[in-house]
Amino acid sequence: MAARGKPAGGGDKAAEAEEERRVLEPGAAPFGNFPSYSHFYPPEQRLRLLPPELLRQLFPPDGPETRPILGLDVGCNSGDLSVALYKHFLSLHDGETCSDASRELRFLCCDIDPVLVERAEKECPFPDALTFITLDFMNQQTRKVLLSSFLSQFGCLVFDIGFCMSITMWIHLNHGDQGLWEFLAHLSSLCRYLLVEPQPWKCYRAAARRLRKLGLHDFDHFRSLAIRGNMANQIVQILTQDHGMELVCCFGNTSWNRSLLLFRAKHTMETHPIPESLIEEEKERNRFKILQAMI
Ligand SMILES: C[S@@+](CC[C@H](N)C(=O)[O-])C[C@H]1O[C@@H](n2cnc3c(N)ncnc32)[C@H](O)[C@@H]1O
């Protein structure tokens, strides 16, 4: 795979120094590229809301043609959540590996921050199944080249599922309303299903406050954003009204009050109907909420 992550200053020492600098200076993480993000927002909090059998239900094996389910994790940080999702959906326990795993499920995980990507690569226990690349997802040219190069290995044009976890706010703050709209447009054209965990508006205020406290410039777009308020609702509207997706379900809220929303591209409805069992299970567990009831 081209464009693997490179240490910012060359080597472990430089990466460590860079990480330390960013822990001490949170304002120096302008993309949400916090080095210890998963310590504050542990993957388990999200996983407990997601049925482990989700992917098997969305993509039941059909016919002799076997290719892995392909996932795209955008804004993977240092890969902790990517690895946790991978294990969760294959029901792997700690320390357990599965020789067939990479034939069942493959993830392409990208992040704008090369230091985090390097760490993710180094620490990943499933290097055959998870590919980490440095990519600014808003860079159309690089995105196209890197994503198609991955997909073409499997003869595919799109990913089966995209994970978009706690990144929408950073795209929005750094690229404005138009940037958020385009980000969601690209994702919906690239993925048959999309799992989104939007940050609520109060996180935007907190991020802007942090910068002010550090005496740094405000985010370019913060004050002029017209898309604001109930961000989960706003994102549902953009994806469903503008980008041809429909909301399948909300798996509930994390303890830090972010909802997990599953969308599906409408044009794939015929070939991949929502499994009844998934709907029933979610109802039973009282975790299934239709948007109107939720927002
Ligand atoms: C708050 S962290 C979320 C990490 C992980 N998804 C999770 O939920 O645990 C947001 C991540 O998005 C990445 N990010 C922000 N803007 C990006 C962009 N334009 N392209 C790729 N990654 C980006 C940041 O570097 C950061 O690691």
Side-chain angles (χ1 to χ4, degrees):
M1 193 83 226
R4 296 248 167 195
K6 295 270 183 300
D12 289 350
K13 283 245 157 59
E16 275 166 27
E18 168 69 358
E19 287 205 0
E20 193 170 297
R21 183 180 72 78
R22 283 188 283 172
V23 171
L24 299 173
E25 283 179 47
F31 306 108
N33 45 335
F34 301 107
S36 308
Y37 189 76
S38 62
H39 296 175
F40 301 106
Y41 297 103
E44 298 70 37
Q45 279 285 324
R46 289 82 165 261
L47 299 184
R48 70 180 176 79
L49 298 171
L50 296 170
E53 62 284 358
L54 179 69
L55 297 190
R56 284 188 275 258
Q57 289 185 336
L58 293 179
F59 311 108
D62 50 0
E65 187 256 337
T66 52
R67 66 153 177 88
I69 296 167
L70 301 181
L72 170 69
D73 186 8
V74 185
C76 64
N77 199 261
S78 53
D80 293 344
L81 181 61
S82 328
V83 170
L85 283 167
Y86 185 80
K87 284 166 67 178
H88 185 68
F89 290 133
L90 287 176
S91 302
L92 296 174
H93 300 290
D94 278 344
E96 194 181 356
T97 54
C98 168
S99 55
D100 274 350
S102 65
R103 264 185 273 158
E104 271 189 67
L105 184 56
R106 292 284 300 266
F107 284 176
L108 179 65
C109 312
C110 64
D111 202 282
I112 196 170
D113 184 326
V115 178
L116 293 172
V117 171
E118 198 208 12
R119 197 167 115 202
E121 270 189 317
K122 214 184 269 173
E123 292 175 5
C124 178
F126 306 102
D128 294 339
L130 278 76
T131 304
F132 291 94
I133 56 168
T134 300
L135 168 66
D136 175 357
F137 196 78
M138 299 304 280
N139 181 326
Q140 190 175 353
Q141 229 172 347
T142 328
R143 184 182 65 230
K144 207 165 166 226
V145 172
L146 295 182
L147 301 193
S148 352
S149 141
F150 178 85
L151 287 167
S152 64
Q153 294 172 51
F154 307 96
C156 292
L157 294 173
V158 293
F159 289 88
D160 294 303
I161 186 160
F163 301 102
C164 178
M165 313 291 278
S166 287
I167 179 175
T168 48
M169 176 182 80
W170 298 106
I171 298 293
H172 202 184
L173 284 171
N174 287 302
H175 298 272
D177 288 337
Q178 183 63 23
L180 177 66
W181 194 91
E182 283 174 17
F183 175 73
L184 296 172
H186 297 314
L187 275 174
S188 52
S189 68
L190 278 166
C191 304
R192 291 157 65 194
Y193 283 82
L194 205 50
L195 186 68
V196 188
E197 183 193 49
Q199 286 106 329
W201 186 252
K202 69 171 185 190
C203 296
Y204 286 61
R205 287 202 300 263
R209 205 168 40 239
R210 261 197 316 268
L211 279 201
R212 278 198 297 277
K213 268 194 186 161
L214 288 162
L216 299 171
H217 282 297
D218 220 343
F219 288 100
D220 288 347
H221 298 276
F222 179 59
R223 287 177 195 285
S224 62
L225 296 180
I227 302 173
R228 54 172 60 217
N230 185 332
M231 289 311 297
N233 200 0
Q234 297 278 20
I235 284 170
V236 170
Q237 297 221 357
I238 297 172
L239 283 172
T240 57
Q241 290 176 12
D242 301 342
H243 299 326
M245 298 206 100
E246 61 185 353
L247 181 67
V248 177
C249 68
C250 170
F251 290 110
N253 283 22
T254 62
S255 58
W256 51 87
N257 206 23
R258 293 183 197 173
S259 39
L260 282 181
L261 305 167
L262 181 67
F263 297 87
R264 178 177 54 161
K266 277 190 199 146
H267 60 266
T268 63
M269 201 149 68
E270 296 301 319
T271 40
H272 295 278
I274 304 167
E276 279 304 314
S277 54
L278 175 62
I279 296 172
E280 287 311 313
E281 274 168 33
E282 289 306 307
K283 273 186 187 158
E284 255 173 40
R285 288 185 230 178
N286 201 22
R287 295 199 311 231
F288 184 92
K289 295 177 191 156
I290 300 296
L291 170 69
Q292 279 78 8
M294 182 197 81
I295 298 172

